[in-house]
């Protein structure tokens, strides 16, 4: 996460979002760097048959849509607000000035992009697996890796539908598999929420 005050110092602007609002669209060329202050954003595209494919979900402190910003290519996916929220956006020109003047920030952006590439590389073979348990466990392991505070419990802040969208599983399969993982002691379900428990 880039410091919000630093983004504003270089010309960043805060933008309020409403649920369902389109932030960026497939085919449009990027002109801003985006970072979430509040709320949740999803990136998606669609198959020729009209089936939605969700690339990822992004939450507070995360950025999205950077790869096309660096290579001057059109967006391959849409970014849509899943909830009401706020983002900070800074023009491409100003963002580049920030990165050139603050190498440590540039390094952090590189790390963020590397994490996403890593996620896609570890999830790609799992998506082709016929074992739904493997798919979900791999996704949970990735999400847990963001638990930088090393807390013993980690809340999966995604709905069953969203988990299905990220793993290519039907909602019914996700529900059934989560219950199975709970029986195995891999996680707990409290108030309908999935909680990952640190392993000894």
């Amino acid at each position: 996460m880039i410091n919000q005050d630093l983004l504003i110092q270089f010309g960043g602007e805060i933008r309020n979002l409403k649920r369902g609002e389109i932030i960026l669209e497939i085919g449009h060329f990027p002109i801003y760097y985006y970072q979430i202050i509040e709320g949740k954003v999803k990136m998606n595209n669609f198959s020729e048959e009209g089936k939605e494919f969700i690339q990822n979900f992004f939450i507070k402190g995360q950025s999205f849509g950077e790869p096309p910003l660096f290579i001057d290519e059109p967006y391959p996916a849409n970014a849509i607000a899943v909830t009401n929220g706020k983002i900070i956006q800074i023009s491409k020109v100003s963002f580049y000035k920030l990165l050139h003047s603050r190498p440590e920030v540039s390094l952090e952006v590189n790390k963020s992009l590397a994490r996403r590439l890593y996620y896609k590389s570890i999830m790609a073979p799992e998506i082709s697996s016929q074992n739904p348990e493997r798919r979900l466990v791999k996704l949970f392991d990735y999400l847990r890796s963001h638990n930088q505070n090393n807390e013993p419990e980690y809340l999966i802040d995604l709905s069953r539908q969203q988990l299905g969208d990220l793993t290519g599983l039907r909602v019914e399969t996700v529900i059934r598999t989560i219950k199975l993982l709970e029986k195995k002691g891999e996680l707990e379900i409290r108030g309908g929420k999935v909680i990952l428990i640190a392993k000894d």
Side-chain angles (χ1 to χ4, degrees):
M1 178 177 69
I2 301 176
N3 181 277
Q4 185 176 317
D5 292 335
L6 185 60
L7 288 170
I8 291 174
Q9 179 185 330
F10 277 80
E13 301 175 336
I14 294 175
R15 172 178 164 186
N16 293 314
L17 296 176
K18 292 183 178 179
R19 180 180 178 182
E21 183 174 343
I22 297 173
I23 304 162
L24 56 88
E25 292 185 79
I26 291 175
H28 290 197
F29 280 83
I31 57 175
Y32 290 108
Y33 165 85
Y34 299 99
Q35 187 169 292
I36 301 173
I37 300 173
E38 296 174 8
K40 185 185 295 183
V41 171
K42 71 176 177 180
M43 295 204 74
N44 72 353
N45 48 25
F46 296 87
S47 68
E48 291 183 2
E49 295 76 28
K51 178 178 172 54
E52 181 183 26
F53 181 75
I54 294 184
Q55 301 284 343
N56 211 337
F57 288 96
F58 300 91
I59 58 175
K60 178 180 178 180
Q62 294 183 317
S63 56
F64 58 92
E66 304 97 309
L69 188 69
F70 286 110
I71 59 175
D72 293 318
E73 293 288 346
Y75 289 118
N78 307 297
I80 301 169
V82 177
T83 64
N84 292 340
K86 291 181 182 179
I87 58 173
I88 186 164
Q89 59 186 40
I90 180 172
S91 72
K92 178 179 177 179
V93 172
S94 297
F95 182 59
Y96 271 38
K97 287 179 181 177
L98 168 57
L99 295 182
H100 283 298
S101 66
R102 300 291 182 94
E104 72 279 7
V105 174
S106 182
L107 180 60
E108 286 304 313
V109 171
N110 288 337
K111 285 182 179 179
S112 174
L113 291 171
R115 283 190 204 100
R116 279 186 236 160
L117 285 172
Y118 178 73
Y119 163 72
K120 288 189 178 293
S121 68
I122 63 172
M123 284 305 296
E126 300 304 329
I127 293 298
S128 62
S129 168
Q130 297 302 309
N131 187 329
E133 187 175 327
R134 280 184 57 186
R135 293 194 201 185
L136 280 174
V137 167
K138 187 62 74 171
L139 176 60
F140 290 159
D141 285 345
Y142 170 76
L143 294 173
R144 194 196 324 246
S145 71
H146 288 286
N147 184 12
Q148 298 176 349
N149 297 326
N150 292 319
E151 296 170 353
E153 298 182 353
Y154 184 80
L155 169 67
I156 300 297
D157 191 24
L158 296 171
S159 69
R160 307 302 193 267
Q161 179 66 61
Q162 291 167 342
L163 290 171
D165 291 335
L166 285 170
T167 55
L169 298 170
R170 295 178 56 182
V171 177
E172 296 81 3
T173 304
V174 170
I175 294 170
R176 190 166 55 248
T177 306
I178 285 175
K179 288 179 179 177
L180 177 63
L181 290 170
E182 183 184 30
K183 287 181 180 178
K184 290 184 175 182
E186 296 283 335
L187 53 83
E188 291 183 11
I189 301 173
R190 299 180 202 153
K193 298 290 186 180
V194 175
I195 310 290
L196 301 183
I197 308 300
K199 299 177 181 178
D200 297 330

